[in-house]
Amino acid sequence: MNYQEKKVITSIIAGVLVLATYSIYGMSKYLEIGEDLLNNLEFWATAMLITIGGGVVVVILIQIIFHIILAVANEVAKEVAKKVSGEGKNEIYEELEITSIEDEMDKLIALKAMRNSFIVVGIGFIIALLSLYMKMPPAIMLNVIFVSFSLGSLFEAFSQLYFYRKGVKNV
Amino acid sequence: MSKFVISNNIRKLRFYNNEMTQQELAKKTGVSRQTIVAIENCKYSPSLELAFRISDVFKIKLEEVFSYEIIEDKGKKGDI
């Protein structure tokens, strides 16, 4: 597994954490207050804004922890390699440096994954509009849009993993 | 509809160039080792620029590194 794949996995973990926290909070409040909550758009807007803000912080923290763990693991691997080979040259360190570069394949994978993510968001938007058409409360529409953005982001990360594993074509 | 398959001799060329590692080739062409692995396994077709950079590393022409093959789809509906 290369650096980019590991980075994608950390963003999946962060995304799942944020979405799960929001879902649990929203559901518990709904069970506590009941149907009235569906007409309280202010509550949902506040919850979503806090989730977005908190999500950014969680993503940054997880990325920092990931880079610390990666750096420590690399140092350990470097020491082991030195002991085993007895050479001064550090190929493992060089490998980490070069794999953290985003090259043309990474950019193509990111683009294709983003296209997949837009499909999910688009479908979510249509479902949200349908919910309004079916006379459902606006809070449902708001939640469908929010969840579709979160799922779109997760789908983007999974698509990236898929393309790294299966390969990507320029067509 | 025909299928366009691009293949390459990078594995062989690395071997004949002092058993150059994928890491060394990646460093010389400015991409990650993962990209070199994907190109070697025909899982990714490089841009023209990267293809020229790879051929430049081996000091040979582009067509000696990469080749293509057109595979015709047979037995498709409407084909006689």
Side-chain angles (χ1 to χ4, degrees):
Chain A
M1 195 182 283
N2 72 348
Y3 170 81
Q4 300 293 346
E5 284 174 280
K6 286 172 192 160
K7 206 172 145 187
V8 169
I9 288 171
T10 55
S11 67
I12 289 174
I13 293 167
V16 169
L17 267 177
V18 170
L19 186 60
T21 310
Y22 174 79
S23 305
I24 291 165
Y25 177 71
M27 194 55 78
S28 63
K29 280 281 174 190
Y30 176 74
L31 291 173
E32 190 185 313
I33 298 167
E35 292 282 317
D36 288 346
L37 197 67
L38 291 178
N39 296 317
N40 189 353
L41 287 180
E42 198 185 322
F43 163 78
W44 292 108
T46 313
M48 284 174 195
L49 281 172
I50 291 169
T51 310
I52 292 166
V56 172
V57 174
V58 167
V59 168
I60 292 169
L61 280 177
I62 289 181
Q63 289 290 341
I64 290 170
I65 293 166
F66 161 70
H67 280 97
I68 290 170
I69 293 170
L70 200 69
V72 171
N74 194 50
E75 278 299 313
V76 171
K78 205 160 80 174
E79 287 303 312
V80 171
K82 262 184 192 175
K83 277 179 188 170
V84 171
S85 64
E87 289 169 18
K89 200 186 171 190
N90 216 320
E91 285 180 8
I92 292 162
Y93 181 71
E94 280 175 19
E95 185 165 331
L96 175 72
E97 273 199 340
I98 203 142
T99 48
S100 54
I101 298 167
E102 198 186 45
D103 61 21
E104 57 172 54
M105 191 177 81
D106 298 320
K107 281 174 188 158
L108 182 66
I109 286 174
L111 272 175
K112 291 208 171 195
M114 199 184 285
R115 185 193 59 184
N116 291 348
S117 146
F118 281 136
I119 293 169
V120 174
V121 174
I123 293 169
F125 185 65
I126 289 167
I127 294 170
L129 290 178
L130 279 174
S131 73
L132 276 188
Y133 177 75
M134 289 157 74
K135 308 264 189 293
M136 286 181 180
I140 299 280
M141 189 260 314
L142 209 59
N143 273 295
V144 170
I145 290 178
F146 182 75
V147 170
S148 69
F149 269 106
S150 303
L151 289 180
S153 156
L154 282 176
F155 196 69
E156 182 181 352
F158 279 112
S159 299
Q160 276 181 298
L161 270 185
Y162 174 82
F163 287 130
Y164 277 117
R165 290 286 153 136
K166 295 283 174 186
V168 61
K169 295 284 172 196
N170 279 320
V171 284
Chain B
M1 181 83 181
S2 52
K3 206 177 166 189
F4 202 80
V5 179
I6 298 172
S7 54
N8 63 77
N9 303 314
I10 295 176
R11 176 74 195 88
K12 202 164 75 183
L13 290 164
R14 282 199 299 108
F15 180 77
Y16 288 123
N17 275 269
N18 258 344
E19 293 188 35
M20 183 190 286
T21 62
Q22 290 172 330
Q23 189 62 53
E24 283 169 334
L25 181 60
K27 203 172 181 182
K28 282 177 180 169
T29 51
V31 293
S32 65
R33 195 180 70 85
Q34 180 83 4
T35 301
I36 297 296
V37 173
I39 295 169
E40 264 192 33
N41 296 328
C42 301
K43 284 183 174 178
Y44 172 66
S45 303
S47 66
L48 202 53
E49 193 188 330
L50 177 57
F52 273 114
R53 280 210 301 264
I54 292 170
S55 67
D56 196 46
V57 169
F58 297 119
K59 307 268 181 258
I60 54 173
K61 286 180 182 174
L62 187 67
E63 55 264 40
E64 289 175 62
V65 184
F66 296 96
S67 56
Y68 72 90
E69 198 183 343
I70 298 169
I71 300 168
E72 295 289 337
D73 265 3
K74 286 176 184 174
K76 279 194 88 179
K77 208 177 177 182
D79 289 351
I80 301 169

CSV table of all heavy atoms in Angstrom, one decimal, chain A residues 68-101:
chain,number,residue,atom,x,y,z
A,68,ILE,N,2.4,11.6,11.6
A,68,ILE,CA,3.4,11.3,12.8
A,68,ILE,C,3.6,9.8,12.8
A,68,ILE,O,4.8,9.4,12.8
A,68,ILE,CB,2.7,11.8,14.1
A,68,ILE,CG1,2.7,13.3,14.2
A,68,ILE,CG2,3.5,11.2,15.3
A,68,ILE,CD1,1.9,13.8,15.4
A,69,ILE,N,2.6,9.0,12.7
A,69,ILE,CA,2.7,7.5,12.7
A,69,ILE,C,3.6,7.1,11.5
A,69,ILE,O,4.5,6.3,11.6
A,69,ILE,CB,1.4,6.8,12.6
A,69,ILE,CG1,0.6,7.1,13.9
A,69,ILE,CG2,1.5,5.3,12.4
A,69,ILE,CD1,-0.8,6.6,13.9
A,70,LEU,N,3.4,7.7,10.3
A,70,LEU,CA,4.1,7.4,9.1
A,70,LEU,C,5.6,7.7,9.3
A,70,LEU,O,6.5,6.9,8.9
A,70,LEU,CB,3.5,8.1,7.9
A,70,LEU,CG,3.9,7.6,6.5
A,70,LEU,CD1,3.2,6.2,6.3
A,70,LEU,CD2,3.5,8.5,5.4
A,71,ALA,N,5.9,8.9,9.9
A,71,ALA,CA,7.3,9.3,10.1
A,71,ALA,C,8.0,8.4,11.1
A,71,ALA,O,9.1,8.0,10.8
A,71,ALA,CB,7.3,10.7,10.6
A,72,VAL,N,7.3,8.0,12.1
A,72,VAL,CA,7.9,7.1,13.1
A,72,VAL,C,8.1,5.7,12.5
A,72,VAL,O,9.2,5.1,12.6
A,72,VAL,CB,6.9,6.9,14.4
A,72,VAL,CG1,7.4,5.8,15.3
A,72,VAL,CG2,6.8,8.2,15.1
A,73,ALA,N,7.1,5.2,11.7
A,73,ALA,CA,7.3,3.9,11.1
A,73,ALA,C,8.4,3.9,10.1
A,73,ALA,O,9.2,3.0,10.0
A,73,ALA,CB,6.0,3.5,10.4
A,74,ASN,N,8.6,5.1,9.4
A,74,ASN,CA,9.7,5.2,8.4
A,74,ASN,C,11.0,5.2,9.1
A,74,ASN,O,12.0,4.6,8.6
A,74,ASN,CB,9.4,6.5,7.6
A,74,ASN,CG,10.3,6.5,6.4
A,74,ASN,OD1,10.4,5.5,5.6
A,74,ASN,ND2,11.0,7.6,6.2
A,75,GLU,N,11.1,5.9,10.2
A,75,GLU,CA,12.4,5.9,11.0
A,75,GLU,C,12.7,4.5,11.5
A,75,GLU,O,13.9,4.1,11.4
A,75,GLU,CB,12.2,6.9,12.2
A,75,GLU,CG,12.4,8.4,11.9
A,75,GLU,CD,13.7,8.7,11.3
A,75,GLU,OE1,14.8,8.2,11.8
A,75,GLU,OE2,13.8,9.4,10.3
A,76,VAL,N,11.7,3.8,12.0
A,76,VAL,CA,12.0,2.4,12.5
A,76,VAL,C,12.5,1.6,11.3
A,76,VAL,O,13.5,0.8,11.4
A,76,VAL,CB,10.7,1.8,13.1
A,76,VAL,CG1,10.9,0.4,13.4
A,76,VAL,CG2,10.3,2.6,14.4
A,77,ALA,N,11.8,1.7,10.1
A,77,ALA,CA,12.2,0.9,9.0
A,77,ALA,C,13.6,1.2,8.5
A,77,ALA,O,14.3,0.4,8.1
A,77,ALA,CB,11.2,1.1,7.9
A,78,LYS,N,13.9,2.6,8.6
A,78,LYS,CA,15.2,3.0,8.2
A,78,LYS,C,16.3,2.4,9.1
A,78,LYS,O,17.3,1.9,8.6
A,78,LYS,CB,15.3,4.6,8.4
A,78,LYS,CG,16.3,5.3,7.6
A,78,LYS,CD,15.9,6.8,7.5
A,78,LYS,CE,16.3,7.6,8.7
A,78,LYS,NZ,16.0,9.0,8.5
A,79,GLU,N,16.1,2.4,10.4
A,79,GLU,CA,17.0,1.8,11.4
A,79,GLU,C,17.2,0.3,11.1
A,79,GLU,O,18.3,-0.2,11.1
A,79,GLU,CB,16.5,2.0,12.8
A,79,GLU,CG,16.7,3.4,13.3
A,79,GLU,CD,18.1,4.0,13.3
A,79,GLU,OE1,19.0,3.2,13.7
A,79,GLU,OE2,18.3,5.1,12.7
A,80,VAL,N,16.0,-0.4,10.9
A,80,VAL,CA,16.1,-1.8,10.6
A,80,VAL,C,16.9,-2.1,9.3
A,80,VAL,O,17.7,-3.0,9.3
A,80,VAL,CB,14.6,-2.4,10.5
A,80,VAL,CG1,14.7,-3.9,10.0
A,80,VAL,CG2,13.9,-2.3,11.8
A,81,ALA,N,16.6,-1.3,8.3
A,81,ALA,CA,17.3,-1.4,7.0
A,81,ALA,C,18.8,-1.2,7.2
A,81,ALA,O,19.6,-1.9,6.6
A,81,ALA,CB,16.8,-0.5,6.0
A,82,LYS,N,19.2,-0.2,8.0
A,82,LYS,CA,20.6,0.1,8.3
A,82,LYS,C,21.3,-1.1,9.0
A,82,LYS,O,22.4,-1.5,8.6
A,82,LYS,CB,20.7,1.3,9.2
A,82,LYS,CG,21.0,2.6,8.4
A,82,LYS,CD,21.2,3.7,9.4
A,82,LYS,CE,21.1,5.0,8.7
A,82,LYS,NZ,21.2,6.1,9.7
A,83,LYS,N,20.6,-1.7,9.9
A,83,LYS,CA,21.1,-2.8,10.7
A,83,LYS,C,21.3,-4.1,9.8
A,83,LYS,O,22.2,-4.8,9.9
A,83,LYS,CB,20.2,-3.2,11.9
A,83,LYS,CG,20.5,-2.3,13.1
A,83,LYS,CD,19.6,-2.6,14.2
A,83,LYS,CE,19.8,-1.6,15.4
A,83,LYS,NZ,18.8,-1.7,16.4
A,84,VAL,N,20.3,-4.3,8.9
A,84,VAL,CA,20.3,-5.5,8.1
A,84,VAL,C,21.3,-5.4,7.0
A,84,VAL,O,22.1,-6.2,6.8
A,84,VAL,CB,18.8,-5.7,7.5
A,84,VAL,CG1,18.9,-6.8,6.4
A,84,VAL,CG2,17.9,-6.1,8.6
A,85,SER,N,21.3,-4.2,6.3
A,85,SER,CA,22.2,-4.1,5.1
A,85,SER,C,23.6,-3.5,5.5
A,85,SER,O,24.6,-3.8,4.9
A,85,SER,CB,21.6,-3.2,4.1
A,85,SER,OG,21.4,-1.9,4.6
A,86,GLY,N,23.6,-2.8,6.6
A,86,GLY,CA,24.8,-2.2,7.1
A,86,GLY,C,25.3,-1.1,6.2
A,86,GLY,O,26.5,-0.6,6.3
A,87,GLU,N,24.4,-0.6,5.3
A,87,GLU,CA,24.8,0.5,4.4
A,87,GLU,C,24.3,1.8,4.9
A,87,GLU,O,23.3,1.9,5.6
A,87,GLU,CB,24.3,0.3,3.0
A,87,GLU,CG,24.9,-0.9,2.3
A,87,GLU,CD,24.2,-1.3,1.0
A,87,GLU,OE1,23.4,-0.5,0.5
A,87,GLU,OE2,24.4,-2.4,0.6
A,88,GLY,N,25.0,2.9,4.5
A,88,GLY,CA,24.6,4.2,5.0
A,88,GLY,C,23.5,4.8,4.2
A,88,GLY,O,22.8,5.7,4.6
A,89,LYS,N,23.3,4.3,3.0
A,89,LYS,CA,22.3,4.8,2.0
A,89,LYS,C,20.9,4.5,2.5
A,89,LYS,O,20.7,3.3,3.0
A,89,LYS,CB,22.5,4.2,0.6
A,89,LYS,CG,21.9,5.1,-0.4
A,89,LYS,CD,22.0,4.4,-1.8
A,89,LYS,CE,21.1,5.1,-2.8
A,89,LYS,NZ,21.0,4.3,-4.0
A,90,ASN,N,20.0,5.4,2.4
A,90,ASN,CA,18.7,5.2,3.0
A,90,ASN,C,17.6,5.2,1.9
A,90,ASN,O,17.0,6.2,1.6
A,90,ASN,CB,18.4,6.3,4.0
A,90,ASN,CG,17.6,5.7,5.1
A,90,ASN,OD1,16.7,4.9,4.8
A,90,ASN,ND2,17.9,6.1,6.3
A,91,GLU,N,17.4,4.0,1.3
A,91,GLU,CA,16.4,3.9,0.2
A,91,GLU,C,15.0,4.0,0.7
A,91,GLU,O,14.2,4.5,-0.1
A,91,GLU,CB,16.6,2.5,-0.5
A,91,GLU,CG,17.9,2.6,-1.4
A,91,GLU,CD,18.1,1.3,-2.1
A,91,GLU,OE1,17.2,0.4,-2.1
A,91,GLU,OE2,19.2,1.2,-2.7
A,92,ILE,N,14.7,3.5,1.9
A,92,ILE,CA,13.3,3.6,2.4
A,92,ILE,C,12.9,5.0,2.5
A,92,ILE,O,11.8,5.4,2.2
A,92,ILE,CB,13.2,2.8,3.7
A,92,ILE,CG1,13.4,1.3,3.4
A,92,ILE,CG2,11.9,3.0,4.4
A,92,ILE,CD1,13.8,0.5,4.6
A,93,TYR,N,13.8,5.9,3.1
A,93,TYR,CA,13.5,7.3,3.3
A,93,TYR,C,13.2,7.9,1.9
A,93,TYR,O,12.3,8.7,1.7
A,93,TYR,CB,14.6,8.0,4.0
A,93,TYR,CG,14.3,9.4,4.3
A,93,TYR,CD1,13.4,9.8,5.2
A,93,TYR,CD2,15.0,10.4,3.6
A,93,TYR,CE1,13.1,11.1,5.4
A,93,TYR,CE2,14.7,11.7,3.8
A,93,TYR,CZ,13.8,12.1,4.7
A,93,TYR,OH,13.5,13.4,4.9
A,94,GLU,N,14.1,7.6,0.9
A,94,GLU,CA,13.9,8.1,-0.4
A,94,GLU,C,12.6,7.7,-1.0
A,94,GLU,O,11.9,8.5,-1.6
A,94,GLU,CB,15.0,7.6,-1.3
A,94,GLU,CG,16.3,8.3,-1.2
A,94,GLU,CD,17.4,7.7,-2.0
A,94,GLU,OE1,17.1,6.9,-2.9
A,94,GLU,OE2,18.6,7.9,-1.7
A,95,GLU,N,12.2,6.5,-0.7
A,95,GLU,CA,10.9,6.0,-1.3
A,95,GLU,C,9.7,6.8,-0.7
A,95,GLU,O,8.8,7.2,-1.4
A,95,GLU,CB,10.7,4.5,-0.9
A,95,GLU,CG,9.5,3.9,-1.5
A,95,GLU,CD,9.5,2.4,-1.6
A,95,GLU,OE1,10.6,1.8,-1.6
A,95,GLU,OE2,8.4,1.8,-1.5
A,96,LEU,N,9.8,7.0,0.6
A,96,LEU,CA,8.7,7.8,1.3
A,96,LEU,C,8.6,9.2,0.6
A,96,LEU,O,7.6,9.7,0.3
A,96,LEU,CB,8.9,7.9,2.8
A,96,LEU,CG,7.9,8.8,3.5
A,96,LEU,CD1,6.6,8.1,3.6
A,96,LEU,CD2,8.4,9.2,4.9
A,97,GLU,N,9.8,9.8,0.4
A,97,GLU,CA,9.8,11.2,-0.2
A,97,GLU,C,9.2,11.2,-1.5
A,97,GLU,O,8.4,12.1,-1.9
A,97,GLU,CB,11.3,11.7,-0.2
A,97,GLU,CG,11.7,12.3,1.1
A,97,GLU,CD,12.9,13.2,0.9
A,97,GLU,OE1,13.6,13.0,-0.1
A,97,GLU,OE2,13.1,14.0,1.8
A,98,ILE,N,9.6,10.2,-2.4
A,98,ILE,CA,9.1,10.3,-3.8
A,98,ILE,C,7.6,9.9,-3.9
A,98,ILE,O,6.9,10.4,-4.7
A,98,ILE,CB,10.0,9.4,-4.7
A,98,ILE,CG1,9.9,9.9,-6.1
A,98,ILE,CG2,9.8,7.9,-4.6
A,98,ILE,CD1,11.1,9.9,-6.9
A,99,THR,N,7.2,9.0,-3.0
A,99,THR,CA,5.8,8.6,-3.1
A,99,THR,C,4.8,9.7,-2.6
A,99,THR,O,3.6,9.6,-2.9
A,99,THR,CB,5.5,7.3,-2.4
A,99,THR,OG1,6.0,7.3,-1.1
A,99,THR,CG2,6.0,6.1,-3.1
A,100,SER,N,5.3,10.6,-1.8
A,100,SER,CA,4.4,11.6,-1.3
A,100,SER,C,4.2,12.7,-2.4
A,100,SER,O,3.5,13.7,-2.2
A,100,SER,CB,4.9,12.2,0.0
A,100,SER,OG,6.3,12.6,-0.1
A,101,ILE,N,4.9,12.6,-3.5
A,101,ILE,CA,4.7,13.6,-4.6
A,101,ILE,C,3.4,13.2,-5.3
A,101,ILE,O,3.2,12.0,-5.6
A,101,ILE,CB,5.9,13.5,-5.6
A,101,ILE,CG1,7.2,13.8,-5.0
A,101,ILE,CG2,5.7,14.4,-6.8
A,101,ILE,CD1,8.4,13.5,-5.8
